[in-house]
Amino acid sequence: MTVDTSKEVKEQGWRARLHEIIFEADTFAGKLFDISLMCAIVLSIITVMLDSVDDIAAKHGTTLNVLEWVFTAFFTLEYIARIVVLRRPAKYIFSFFGIIDLLSVVPTYIGLFVPATQYSVALRTLRLLRVFRVLKLARYLGEARILAQALKASRAKITVFLVAVLSIAIIMGTLMYIIEAEKNGDEFTSIPRSIYWAIVTMTTVGFGDIKPITELGQFVASILMIMGYGVIAVPTGIVGAELSRTKVSTNTRACESCGGEGHDDDAEHCKYCGETL
């Protein structure tokens, strides 16, 4: 018995073509889609920002609402298309960008039943994170992946560094509480508050809401301020060293099964699900 596979082949053909446009940027259509998506993301964020200004919202609220629904419809169709073209859509749906894509459209639909709040506006601004997906264009891909790999390779050193900084803040904060509590008890009221002062001082933020008044306290604060400049330089050096050693490919291939990206130039199978690329 002969099975007619023409329909199946045709379906795989348009699905593969649509996958190439949506998930990759090697073709003109793929680049055009990414540029259009980036413009939509930026314009939608501008719309959200303008809608948060009372005077503008009062005068142009209807127009902003229409624009919001236009962008939501576009992002919804794009989200559905991403699910349709993948053979394993669950991988995409529960991925980081899959969740971000969903959260970028949900607030508008929820607004039909629940009045808009500051929380829904915050969720709508998550669309800005989608720009990082679009930055898979060839000129940005290498730099983005190099930075991601450098941060990943540096995580152990940075963790140790942060633990050391926290330890210094606790020790110096406790010391300042002992020094200042008697004469400056109105500001250094507790050890946690003194630790807060130490963190603010060591990171060179310097809010000025708490300050030592004793000579010994000012001397300790001066040492902590000087240490702060060294604290700023350390993580920069750690990440910079990893950046100089990290090399990645700049291809834009994405798996047709799970949508995974970041494969080596000579990769034949997806490193996430094992499917043939």
Side-chain angles (χ1 to χ4, degrees):
M1 182 177 178
T2 303
V3 180
D4 184 10
T5 60
S6 60
K7 183 177 180 181
E8 181 179 352
V9 172
K10 184 177 180 180
E11 180 180 349
Q12 291 178 351
W14 70 258
R15 184 172 292 178
R17 175 59 178 164
L18 192 59
H19 176 275
E20 185 178 33
I21 294 174
I22 294 176
F23 282 93
E24 301 181 15
D26 294 327
T27 63
F28 173 77
K31 292 179 181 179
L32 182 61
F33 175 82
D34 284 343
I35 293 173
S36 300
L37 181 58
M38 179 180 289
C39 292
I41 292 171
V42 173
L43 291 175
S44 69
I45 294 299
I46 293 175
T47 301
V48 173
M49 291 179 178
L50 293 177
D51 192 36
S52 67
V53 181
D54 294 336
D55 293 340
I56 296 178
K59 295 179 180 179
H60 308 285
T62 302
T63 302
L64 294 174
N65 188 50
V66 171
L67 288 174
E68 173 60 26
W69 276 106
V70 170
F71 292 128
T72 299
F74 174 77
F75 293 139
T76 301
L77 291 175
E78 182 227 350
Y79 179 75
I80 294 173
R82 289 182 183 275
I83 294 175
V84 169
V85 300
L86 294 175
R87 291 193 292 269
R88 296 183 182 179
K91 291 278 187 179
Y92 160 71
I93 293 173
F94 296 104
S95 67
F96 173 77
F97 279 115
I99 294 174
I100 292 296
D101 292 348
L102 180 61
L103 291 178
S104 69
V105 299
V106 165
T108 306
Y109 292 113
I110 294 178
L112 292 173
F113 309 99
V114 180
T117 63
Q118 293 179 346
Y119 301 104
S120 65
V121 172
L123 287 176
R124 284 158 61 190
T125 57
L126 288 177
R127 292 172 182 169
L128 189 58
L129 293 177
R130 306 190 66 211
V131 170
F132 291 99
R133 174 199 293 282
V134 183
L135 295 185
K136 64 188 178 185
L137 297 173
R139 61 179 298 185
Y140 298 111
L141 179 66
E143 288 76 4
R145 289 183 182 167
I146 287 174
L147 180 59
Q149 289 196 9
L151 290 173
K152 184 177 180 180
S154 306
R155 65 183 184 276
K157 296 177 183 178
I158 292 178
T159 299
V160 173
F161 166 73
L162 291 177
V163 170
V165 170
L166 183 60
S167 300
I168 294 173
I170 292 174
I171 293 172
M172 298 298 282
T174 303
L175 179 61
M176 285 297 292
Y177 173 73
I178 295 173
I179 296 173
E180 293 287 323
E182 183 177 352
K183 296 184 178 180
N184 195 15
D186 293 338
E187 295 189 5
F188 291 84
T189 57
S190 64
I191 291 179
R193 185 166 172 80
S194 300
I195 293 174
Y196 157 78
W197 168 85
I199 293 173
V200 170
T201 302
M202 188 162 48
T203 55
T204 69
V205 175
F207 289 133
D209 53 342
I210 306 175
K211 55 184 181 297
I213 60 173
T214 65
E215 293 181 357
L216 181 58
Q218 291 172 351
F219 174 74
V220 173
S222 300
I223 295 176
L224 193 58
M225 292 174 194
I226 295 173
M227 289 177 60
Y229 288 102
V231 166
I232 294 173
V234 171
T236 305
I238 293 174
V239 177
E242 292 296 338
L243 282 172
S244 64
R245 292 198 294 263
T246 304
K247 295 182 179 180
V248 295
S249 65
T250 58
N251 70 73
T252 62
R253 287 189 301 172
C255 176
E256 294 185 20
S257 178
C258 68
E261 301 176 355
H263 302 97
D264 295 335
D265 292 331
D266 58 350
E268 297 181 357
H269 297 85
C270 176
K271 61 183 178 182
Y272 303 107
C273 67
E275 288 288 335
T276 302
L277 295 173

